[in-house]
Coordinates of all heavy atoms in Angstrom, one line a residue:
K1 N 50.1 130.4 137.4 CA 49.0 129.7 137.0 C 49.3 128.2 136.9 O 48.4 127.4 137.3 CB 48.4 130.2 135.7 CG 47.9 131.7 135.9 CD 47.4 132.2 134.6 CE 46.9 133.7 134.8 NZ 46.5 134.3 133.6
Q2 N 50.4 127.9 136.4 CA 50.8 126.5 136.3 C 50.9 125.8 137.6 O 50.5 124.7 137.8 CB 52.1 126.3 135.5 CG 52.0 126.6 134.0 CD 53.3 126.4 133.4 OE1 54.2 127.2 133.6 NE2 53.5 125.4 132.6
A3 N 51.4 126.5 138.6 CA 51.6 125.9 140.0 C 50.2 125.5 140.5 O 50.0 124.5 141.1 CB 52.2 126.9 140.9
L4 N 49.2 126.4 140.3 CA 47.9 126.1 140.8 C 47.2 124.9 140.0 O 46.5 124.1 140.6 CB 47.0 127.3 140.7 CG 47.3 128.5 141.6 CD1 46.4 129.7 141.3 CD2 47.1 128.1 143.0
E5 N 47.5 124.8 138.8 CA 47.0 123.7 138.0 C 47.7 122.4 138.5 O 47.0 121.4 138.7 CB 47.3 123.8 136.5 CG 46.5 124.9 135.9 CD 46.9 125.2 134.4 OE1 47.4 124.3 133.8 OE2 46.6 126.3 133.9
Y6 N 49.0 122.4 138.7 CA 49.7 121.2 139.2 C 49.1 120.8 140.6 O 48.8 119.7 140.9 CB 51.2 121.4 139.3 CG 51.9 121.7 138.0 CD1 53.0 122.4 138.0 CD2 51.4 121.2 136.8 CE1 53.7 122.7 136.8 CE2 52.0 121.4 135.6 CZ 53.2 122.2 135.6 OH 53.8 122.4 134.4
K7 N 48.9 121.8 141.5 CA 48.4 121.5 142.8 C 47.0 121.0 142.8 O 46.7 120.1 143.5 CB 48.5 122.8 143.7 CG 48.0 122.6 145.1 CD 48.2 123.8 146.0 CE 47.8 123.6 147.4 NZ 46.9 122.6 147.8
S8 N 46.2 121.5 141.9 CA 44.8 121.0 141.7 C 44.8 119.6 141.3 O 44.0 118.8 141.8 CB 44.1 121.9 140.6 OG 42.9 121.4 140.4
L9 N 45.7 119.2 140.4 CA 45.8 117.8 140.0 C 46.2 116.9 141.2 O 45.6 115.8 141.3 CB 46.9 117.6 138.9 CG 46.5 118.2 137.5 CD1 47.8 118.1 136.6 CD2 45.4 117.4 136.9
L10 N 47.1 117.3 142.0 CA 47.5 116.6 143.1 C 46.4 116.5 144.2 O 46.1 115.4 144.7 CB 48.8 117.2 143.8 CG 50.1 117.0 143.0 CD1 51.1 118.0 143.5 CD2 50.6 115.6 143.1
D11 N 45.8 117.6 144.5 CA 44.7 117.7 145.5 C 43.5 116.8 145.1 O 42.9 116.2 146.0 CB 44.3 119.1 145.8 CG 45.4 119.9 146.5 OD1 46.4 119.3 147.0 OD2 45.2 121.2 146.5
A12 N 43.2 116.8 143.8 CA 42.1 116.1 143.3 C 42.3 114.6 143.2 O 41.4 113.8 143.0 CB 41.6 116.6 142.0
G13 N 43.6 114.2 143.4 CA 44.0 112.8 143.3 C 44.1 112.3 141.8 O 44.1 111.1 141.6
E14 N 44.1 113.2 140.9 CA 44.2 112.9 139.5 C 45.6 112.3 139.2 O 45.7 111.6 138.2 CB 43.8 114.0 138.6 CG 42.3 114.4 138.7 CD 42.0 115.6 137.9 OE1 42.4 115.7 136.7 OE2 41.1 116.4 138.3
V15 N 46.5 112.8 139.9 CA 47.9 112.2 139.8 C 48.4 112.0 141.3 O 47.9 112.5 142.2 CB 48.9 113.2 139.1 CG1 48.5 113.4 137.7 CG2 48.9 114.6 139.9
D16 N 49.3 111.1 141.4 CA 49.8 110.7 142.7 C 51.1 111.4 143.1 O 51.4 111.5 144.3 CB 50.1 109.2 142.7 CG 48.9 108.3 142.6 OD1 47.8 108.8 143.1 OD2 49.0 107.3 141.9
S17 N 51.8 112.0 142.2 CA 53.0 112.6 142.6 C 53.5 113.7 141.5 O 52.9 113.8 140.4 CB 54.1 111.6 142.6 OG 54.4 111.0 141.4
Q18 N 54.5 114.4 141.9 CA 55.1 115.4 141.0 C 55.7 114.7 139.9 O 55.7 115.2 138.7 CB 56.1 116.3 141.8 CG 55.5 117.2 142.8 CD 56.6 118.0 143.5 OE1 57.7 118.2 143.0 NE2 56.2 118.4 144.7
T19 N 56.3 113.5 140.1 CA 56.9 112.7 139.1 C 55.9 112.3 138.0 O 56.2 112.4 136.8 CB 57.5 111.4 139.7 OG1 58.5 111.8 140.7 CG2 58.2 110.6 138.6
E20 N 54.6 112.0 138.4 CA 53.6 111.6 137.5 C 53.2 112.9 136.6 O 53.0 112.8 135.4 CB 52.4 111.1 138.2 CG 51.4 110.5 137.2 CD 50.2 109.8 137.9 OE1 50.3 109.6 139.1 OE2 49.3 109.4 137.2
I21 N 53.1 114.0 137.3 CA 52.8 115.3 136.5 C 53.9 115.5 135.5 O 53.6 115.8 134.3 CB 52.7 116.5 137.5 CG1 51.5 116.3 138.4 CG2 52.6 117.8 136.6 CD1 51.4 117.4 139.5
A22 N 55.1 115.3 135.9 CA 56.3 115.5 135.0 C 56.2 114.6 133.8 O 56.4 115.0 132.6 CB 57.6 115.3 135.7
R23 N 55.8 113.4 134.0 CA 55.7 112.4 133.0 C 54.6 112.8 132.0 O 54.8 112.8 130.8 CB 55.5 111.0 133.5 CG 55.5 109.9 132.5 CD 55.2 108.5 133.1 NE 54.0 108.4 133.9 CZ 52.8 108.4 133.5 NH1 52.5 108.4 132.2 NH2 51.7 108.3 134.3
L24 N 53.5 113.1 132.5 CA 52.3 113.5 131.7 C 52.5 114.8 130.9 O 52.1 114.9 129.8 CB 51.1 113.7 132.6 CG 50.5 112.4 133.2 CD1 49.4 112.7 134.2 CD2 50.0 111.5 132.2
C25 N 53.2 115.7 131.5 CA 53.5 117.0 130.9 C 54.8 117.0 130.1 O 55.1 118.0 129.4 CB 53.6 118.1 131.9 SG 52.0 118.4 132.8
R26 N 55.5 116.0 130.2 CA 56.8 115.9 129.5 C 57.7 117.1 129.9 O 58.3 117.7 129.1 CB 56.7 115.8 128.0 CG 55.9 114.6 127.6 CD 55.7 114.5 126.1 NE 54.8 113.5 125.8 CZ 55.1 112.4 125.0 NH1 56.2 112.3 124.5 NH2 54.2 111.5 124.8
T27 N 57.7 117.3 131.2 CA 58.5 118.4 131.8 C 59.3 117.8 132.9 O 58.9 116.9 133.6 CB 57.5 119.4 132.4 OG1 56.6 119.8 131.4 CG2 58.2 120.6 133.1
P28 N 60.6 118.2 133.1 CA 61.4 117.7 134.2 C 60.7 117.9 135.6 O 60.0 118.9 135.8 CB 62.7 118.5 134.2 CG 62.7 119.1 132.8 CD 61.3 119.2 132.3
R29 N 60.8 116.9 136.4 CA 60.2 116.9 137.8 C 60.7 118.2 138.5 O 59.9 118.8 139.3 CB 60.5 115.7 138.6 CG 59.6 115.6 139.8 CD 60.2 114.7 140.9 NE 61.6 114.9 141.2 CZ 62.0 115.9 142.0 NH1 61.2 116.8 142.5 NH2 63.3 116.1 142.2
S30 N 62.0 118.5 138.3 CA 62.5 119.7 139.0 C 61.7 121.0 138.6 O 61.6 121.9 139.5 CB 64.0 119.9 138.7 OG 64.2 120.0 137.4
T31 N 61.3 121.0 137.4 CA 60.5 122.2 136.9 C 59.1 122.2 137.6 O 58.7 123.3 138.1 CB 60.3 122.2 135.4 OG1 61.6 122.2 134.8 CG2 59.5 123.3 134.9
I32 N 58.5 121.0 137.7 CA 57.2 120.9 138.4 C 57.4 121.4 139.9 O 56.6 122.2 140.4 CB 56.7 119.5 138.4 CG1 56.5 119.0 137.0 CG2 55.4 119.4 139.2 CD1 55.6 119.7 136.1
S33 N 58.4 120.9 140.5 CA 58.7 121.3 141.9 C 59.0 122.8 142.1 O 58.5 123.4 143.0 CB 60.0 120.5 142.5 OG 59.7 119.2 142.5
A34 N 59.7 123.3 141.1 CA 60.0 124.8 141.2 C 58.7 125.6 141.1 O 58.5 126.6 141.8 CB 60.9 125.2 140.0
Y35 N 57.8 125.2 140.2 CA 56.5 125.9 140.1 C 55.7 125.7 141.4 O 55.1 126.7 141.9 CB 55.7 125.4 138.9 CG 56.1 126.1 137.6 CD1 56.8 125.5 136.7 CD2 55.8 127.4 137.4 CE1 57.2 126.1 135.5 CE2 56.1 128.1 136.2 CZ 56.9 127.4 135.3 OH 57.3 128.0 134.1
L36 N 55.7 124.6 141.9 CA 54.9 124.3 143.2 C 55.5 125.1 144.3 O 54.7 125.6 145.2 CB 54.8 122.8 143.5 CG 53.9 122.0 142.6 CD1 54.1 120.5 142.8 CD2 52.5 122.4 142.8
R37 N 56.8 125.4 144.3 CA 57.4 126.2 145.4 C 56.8 127.6 145.4 O 56.8 128.3 146.4 CB 58.9 126.2 145.3 CG 59.5 125.0 145.9 CD 61.0 125.1 146.1 NE 61.7 125.2 144.8 CZ 62.1 124.2 144.1 NH1 61.9 123.0 144.5 NH2 62.7 124.4 143.0
L38 N 56.4 128.1 144.2 CA 55.9 129.4 144.1 C 54.6 129.6 144.9 O 54.2 130.7 145.3 CB 55.6 129.8 142.6 CG 56.8 129.9 141.7 CD1 56.3 130.2 140.3 CD2 57.7 131.0 142.2
L39 N 54.0 128.5 145.3 CA 52.7 128.6 146.1 C 53.1 129.1 147.5 O 52.2 129.5 148.3 CB 52.0 127.3 146.2 CG 51.5 126.8 144.8 CD1 50.9 125.4 144.9 CD2 50.5 127.8 144.2
A40 N 54.4 129.2 147.9 CA 54.8 129.7 149.2 C 54.8 131.2 149.2 O 55.1 131.8 150.2 CB 56.2 129.1 149.5
L41 N 54.6 131.8 148.0 CA 54.6 133.3 148.0 C 53.4 133.8 148.8 O 52.4 133.1 149.0 CB 54.4 133.8 146.5 CG 55.6 133.6 145.6 CD1 55.2 133.9 144.2 CD2 56.7 134.6 146.0
D42 N 53.6 135.1 149.2 CA 52.5 135.7 150.0 C 51.2 135.7 149.1 O 51.2 135.8 147.9 CB 52.9 137.2 150.2 CG 51.8 138.0 150.8 OD1 51.5 137.8 152.0 OD2 51.4 138.9 150.1
D43 N 50.1 135.5 149.8 CA 48.8 135.4 149.1 C 48.5 136.7 148.3 O 47.9 136.5 147.2 CB 47.6 135.2 150.1 CG 47.6 133.8 150.7 OD1 48.3 132.9 150.1 OD2 47.0 133.6 151.7
K44 N 48.9 137.8 148.7 CA 48.6 139.1 148.0 C 49.5 139.1 146.7 O 49.0 139.5 145.6 CB 48.8 140.3 148.8 CG 47.8 140.5 149.9 CD 48.0 141.7 150.7 CE 46.9 141.8 151.8 NZ 47.1 143.0 152.6
V45 N 50.7 138.6 146.8 CA 51.6 138.6 145.6 C 51.0 137.6 144.6 O 50.9 137.9 143.4 CB 53.0 138.2 146.0 CG1 53.9 138.0 144.8 CG2 53.6 139.3 146.9
K46 N 50.6 136.4 145.1 CA 50.0 135.4 144.2 C 48.8 136.0 143.5 O 48.6 135.8 142.3 CB 49.6 134.1 145.0 CG 50.8 133.3 145.4 CD 50.4 132.0 145.9 CE 49.8 132.1 147.3 NZ 49.7 130.9 148.1
A47 N 47.9 136.7 144.2 CA 46.7 137.3 143.6 C 47.1 138.3 142.6 O 46.5 138.4 141.5 CB 45.9 137.9 144.7
Q48 N 48.1 139.1 142.8 CA 48.5 140.1 141.9 C 49.1 139.5 140.6 O 48.9 139.9 139.5 CB 49.6 141.1 142.5 CG 48.9 142.0 143.5 CD 50.0 142.8 144.2 OE1 51.1 142.4 144.6 NE2 49.6 144.1 144.5
V49 N 49.9 138.4 140.8 CA 50.4 137.7 139.6 C 49.3 137.1 138.8 O 49.3 137.3 137.5 CB 51.4 136.5 140.0 CG1 51.8 135.7 138.8 CG2 52.6 137.1 140.7
L50 N 48.3 136.5 139.4 CA 47.2 135.9 138.7 C 46.3 136.9 138.0 O 45.6 136.6 137.0 CB 46.4 135.0 139.7 CG 47.1 133.8 140.2 CD1 46.3 133.1 141.3 CD2 47.3 132.8 139.0
A51 N 46.3 138.2 138.6 CA 45.5 139.2 138.0 C 46.1 139.8 136.7 O 45.4 140.5 136.0 CB 45.3 140.3 139.0
I52 N 47.3 139.5 136.4 CA 47.9 140.1 135.2 C 47.5 139.3 134.0 O 47.6 138.0 134.0 CB 49.5 140.1 135.3 CG1 49.9 141.0 136.5 CG2 50.1 140.5 134.0 CD1 51.4 140.9 136.8
D53 N 47.0 139.9 133.0 CA 46.5 139.3 131.8 C 47.6 138.6 131.1 O 48.8 139.0 131.1 CB 45.9 140.3 130.8 CG 44.5 140.8 131.3 OD1 43.8 140.1 132.0 OD2 44.2 142.0 131.0
D54 N 47.3 137.4 130.5 CA 48.3 136.7 129.7 C 49.0 137.5 128.6 O 50.1 137.2 128.3 CB 47.7 135.4 129.1 CG 47.4 134.4 130.2 OD1 47.9 134.5 131.3 OD2 46.5 133.5 129.9
D55 N 48.3 138.4 128.1 CA 48.9 139.2 127.0 C 49.6 140.5 127.5 O 50.1 141.3 126.7 CB 47.9 139.5 125.9 CG 46.7 140.3 126.4 OD1 46.6 140.4 127.7 OD2 45.9 140.8 125.6
D56 N 49.7 140.7 128.8 CA 50.3 141.9 129.4 C 51.8 141.7 129.3 O 52.4 140.7 129.7 CB 49.9 142.0 130.8 CG 50.3 143.3 131.5 OD1 51.5 143.8 131.2 OD2 49.5 143.9 132.2
D57 N 52.5 142.7 128.7 CA 54.0 142.6 128.6 C 54.7 142.5 129.9 O 55.8 141.9 129.9 CB 54.5 143.9 127.9 CG 54.0 144.0 126.4 OD1 53.7 143.0 125.9 OD2 54.0 145.2 125.9
R58 N 54.2 142.9 131.0 CA 54.8 142.8 132.3 C 55.0 141.3 132.7 O 55.9 140.9 133.4 CB 54.1 143.5 133.4 CG 54.0 145.0 133.2 CD 53.1 145.6 134.2 NE 51.7 145.1 134.1 CZ 50.8 145.3 135.1 NH1 51.1 146.0 136.1 NH2 49.6 144.8 134.9
L59 N 54.1 140.4 132.2 CA 54.2 139.0 132.5 C 55.5 138.4 132.1 O 56.0 137.5 132.7 CB 53.0 138.3 131.9 CG 52.6 137.0 132.6 CD1 52.4 137.1 134.0 CD2 51.4 136.4 131.9
A60 N 56.0 138.8 131.0 CA 57.3 138.3 130.5 C 58.4 138.4 131.5 O 59.3 137.5 131.5 CB 57.7 138.9 129.2
G61 N 58.4 139.4 132.3 CA 59.5 139.6 133.3 C 59.3 138.9 134.6 O 60.1 139.0 135.5
L62 N 58.2 138.1 134.7 CA 57.8 137.5 135.9 C 58.0 135.9 135.8 O 57.0 135.2 136.0 CB 56.4 137.8 136.3 CG 56.2 139.3 136.6 CD1 54.7 139.6 136.9 CD2 57.1 139.8 137.8
S63 N 59.1 135.5 135.4 CA 59.4 134.1 135.2 C 59.4 133.4 136.6 O 59.5 134.0 137.7 CB 60.7 133.9 134.5 OG 61.8 134.3 135.4
E64 N 59.4 132.1 136.6 CA 59.5 131.3 137.8 C 60.7 131.6 138.6 O 60.7 131.8 139.8 CB 59.4 129.8 137.5 CG 59.6 128.9 138.6 CD 61.0 128.6 139.0 OE1 61.8 128.5 138.0 OE2 61.4 128.5 140.1
S65 N 61.8 131.7 137.9 CA 63.1 132.0 138.6 C 63.1 133.4 139.2 O 63.7 133.6 140.3 CB 64.3 131.8 137.7 OG 64.2 132.7 136.6
V66 N 62.5 134.4 138.6 CA 62.4 135.7 139.1 C 61.5 135.7 140.4 O 61.9 136.3 141.4 CB 61.9 136.7 138.1 CG1 61.6 138.1 138.7 CG2 62.9 136.9 137.0
L67 N 60.3 135.1 140.3 CA 59.4 135.1 141.4 C 60.0 134.3 142.5 O 59.7 134.6 143.7 CB 58.1 134.5 140.9 CG 57.3 135.4 140.0 CD1 56.1 134.7 139.5 CD2 56.9 136.7 140.7
R68 N 60.7 133.2 142.2 CA 61.3 132.4 143.3 C 62.2 133.2 144.2 O 62.3 132.9 145.4 CB 62.1 131.2 142.6 CG 62.6 130.2 143.6 CD 63.3 129.1 142.9 NE 64.4 129.6 142.2 CZ 64.7 129.1 141.0 NH1 64.0 128.2 140.4 NH2 65.8 129.6 140.3
R69 N 62.8 134.2 143.7 CA 63.7 135.0 144.6 C 62.9 135.8 145.7 O 63.5 136.3 146.6 CB 64.5 136.0 143.7 CG 65.5 135.4 142.8 CD 66.3 136.4 142.1 NE 66.4 136.0 140.7 CZ 66.4 136.8 139.6 NH1 66.2 138.1 139.8 NH2 66.5 136.3 138.4
L70 N 61.6 135.9 145.5 CA 60.8 136.6 146.6 C 60.6 135.6 147.8 O 60.4 136.1 148.9 CB 59.5 137.0 146.0 CG 59.5 137.9 144.8 CD1 58.1 138.2 144.3 CD2 60.2 139.2 145.1
I71 N 60.6 134.4 147.5 CA 60.3 133.4 148.6 C 61.4 133.5 149.7 O 62.6 133.6 149.4 CB 60.2 132.0 148.0 CG1 59.0 131.9 147.1 CG2 60.0 130.9 149.2 CD1 58.9 130.6 146.3
G72 N 61.0 133.4 150.9 CA 61.9 133.5 152.0 C 62.0 134.9 152.6 O 62.5 135.0 153.7
H73 N 61.4 135.9 152.0 CA 61.3 137.2 152.5 C 59.9 137.3 153.2 O 59.0 136.6 152.9 CB 61.3 138.3 151.4 CG 62.7 138.3 150.8 ND1 63.8 138.9 151.3 CD2 63.1 137.8 149.5 CE1 64.8 138.8 150.5 NE2 64.4 138.2 149.4
E74 N 59.9 138.2 154.2 CA 58.6 138.4 154.9 C 57.6 138.9 153.8 O 57.9 139.5 152.8 CB 58.8 139.4 156.0 CG 59.6 138.9 157.1 CD 59.7 139.9 158.3 OE1 58.8 140.8 158.4 OE2 60.6 139.7 159.1
A75 N 56.3 138.8 154.2 CA 55.2 139.1 153.2 C 55.3 140.6 152.8 O 55.2 140.8 151.6 CB 53.9 138.9 153.9
K76 N 55.5 141.5 153.7 CA 55.6 142.9 153.3 C 56.8 143.1 152.3 O 56.6 143.9 151.3 CB 55.8 143.7 154.6 CG 55.7 145.2 154.3 CD 55.8 146.0 155.6 CE 55.8 147.5 155.4 NZ 55.9 148.2 156.7
E77 N 57.9 142.5 152.5 CA 59.0 142.6 151.7 C 58.8 142.0 150.3 O 59.2 142.5 149.3 CB 60.3 142.1 152.3 CG 61.5 142.2 151.5 CD 62.0 143.6 151.2 OE1 61.5 144.6 151.9 OE2 62.9 143.8 150.4
Q78 N 58.1 140.9 150.3 CA 57.7 140.2 149.0 C 56.9 141.2 148.2 O 57.1 141.3 147.0 CB 56.9 138.9 149.3 CG 57.7 137.8 149.7 CD 56.9 136.5 149.8 OE1 55.9 136.3 149.1 NE2 57.3 135.6 150.6
R79 N 55.9 141.8 148.9 CA 55.0 142.7 148.1 C 55.8 143.9 147.6 O 55.5 144.3 146.5 CB 53.8 143.2 149.1 CG 52.9 142.0 149.4 CD 51.6 142.5 150.0 NE 51.8 143.0 151.4 CZ 51.8 142.3 152.5 NH1 51.5 141.0 152.4 NH2 52.0 142.9 153.7
R80 N 56.7 144.4 148.4 CA 57.5 145.6 147.9 C 58.3 145.2 146.7 O 58.4 145.9 145.7 CB 58.4 146.1 149.0 CG 59.2 147.4 148.6 CD 60.3 147.7 149.6 NE 61.4 146.8 149.6 CZ 62.3 146.7 148.6 NH1 62.2 147.4 147.5 NH2 63.2 145.8 148.7
R81 N 59.0 144.1 146.8 CA 59.9 143.6 145.7 C 59.0 143.3 144.5 O 59.5 143.5 143.4 CB 60.7 142.4 146.1 CG 61.8 142.7 147.1 CD 62.5 141.5 147.6 NE 63.5 141.8 148.6 CZ 64.8 141.5 148.5 NH1 65.2 140.9 147.5 NH2 65.6 141.9 149.4
F82 N 57.9 142.7 144.7 CA 57.0 142.4 143.5 C 56.6 143.7 142.8 O 56.6 143.8 141.6 CB 55.8 141.6 144.0 CG 54.9 141.3 142.8 CD1 55.2 140.3 141.9 CD2 53.7 142.0 142.6 CE1 54.3 140.0 140.9 CE2 52.8 141.8 141.6 CZ 53.2 140.8 140.7
R83 N 56.2 144.7 143.6 CA 55.9 146.0 143.0 C 57.0 146.6 142.2 O 56.8 147.1 141.1 CB 55.5 147.1 144.1 CG 54.1 146.9 144.6 CD 53.6 148.1 145.5 NE 54.5 148.3 146.6 CZ 54.4 147.7 147.8 NH1 53.5 146.9 148.0 NH2 55.3 148.0 148.7
D84 N 58.2 146.4 142.7 CA 59.4 146.9 141.9 C 59.6 146.1 140.6 O 59.9 146.7 139.6 CB 60.7 146.8 142.8 CG 60.7 147.8 143.9 OD1 59.9 148.7 143.9 OD2 61.6 147.6 144.8
L85 N 59.4 144.8 140.7 CA 59.5 144.0 139.5 C 58.5 144.4 138.4 O 58.8 144.5 137.3 CB 59.2 142.5 139.8 CG 60.3 141.7 140.6 CD1 59.8 140.4 141.0 CD2 61.5 141.6 139.6
V86 N 57.3 144.6 138.8 CA 56.2 145.0 137.9 C 56.5 146.4 137.3 O 56.2 146.6 136.1 CB 54.8 144.9 138.6 CG1 53.7 145.5 137.7 CG2 54.5 143.5 138.9
A87 N 57.1 147.2 138.1 CA 57.4 148.6 137.7 C 58.6 148.6 136.8 O 59.0 149.6 136.2 CB 57.5 149.5 138.9
G88 N 59.3 147.5 136.8 CA 60.5 147.4 135.9 C 61.8 148.0 136.6 O 62.8 148.3 136.0
R89 N 61.7 148.0 137.9 CA 62.9 148.5 138.7 C 63.8 147.4 139.1 O 63.5 146.3 139.3 CB 62.5 149.3 139.9 CG 61.7 150.6 139.6 CD 61.4 151.3 140.8 NE 59.9 151.4 140.8 CZ 59.2 151.6 141.9 NH1 59.8 151.8 143.0 NH2 57.9 151.7 141.8

């Protein structure tokens, strides 16, 4: 969800760069970049992540670093690995 918020700020021209987002959020630029890289995930995986309620216990296991490991795999493999993550495997 943070990645979409950051992208929205950039797309709307409300900020000029990831560096500006980092300054406004008091977050390292590398963290902003890491979240934005998650937008490279398969669309179905992104939709499934967004569909998980904020109070769902499964969300705790889906950190940026965990989801980042899915990037670079084909879409079908990303979806399979995501299902395994959500199932706790």
Side-chain angles (χ1 to χ4, degrees):
K1 294 177 184 178
Q2 285 180 292
L4 291 173
E5 290 176 24
Y6 297 153
K7 184 174 183 337
S8 176
L9 290 171
L10 288 164
D11 290 349
E14 294 179 39
V15 294
D16 294 324
S17 66
Q18 293 178 24
T19 302
E20 189 173 352
I21 294 172
R23 184 180 54 76
L24 292 170
C25 297
R26 299 176 190 242
T27 302
R29 191 202 52 78
S30 59
T31 301
I32 304 298
S33 296
Y35 276 106
L36 287 170
R37 278 193 296 275
L38 293 178
L39 297 175
L41 287 168
D42 174 67
D43 287 341
K44 290 182 180 178
V45 171
K46 286 187 287 194
Q48 289 175 320
V49 170
L50 292 171
I52 297 174
D53 289 330
D54 289 342
D55 59 347
D56 190 318
D57 292 339
R58 297 176 298 169
L59 200 56
L62 298 176
S63 66
E64 175 274 326
S65 60
V66 169
L67 291 172
R68 186 178 58 220
R69 291 184 224 143
L70 302 177
I71 297 172
H73 295 283
E74 292 185 21
K76 186 176 179 178
E77 181 64 11
Q78 283 186 28
R79 291 190 295 269
R80 185 193 67 75
R81 288 175 183 236
F82 180 77
R83 281 191 304 271
D84 288 350
L85 285 171
V86 171
R89 293 183 243 162

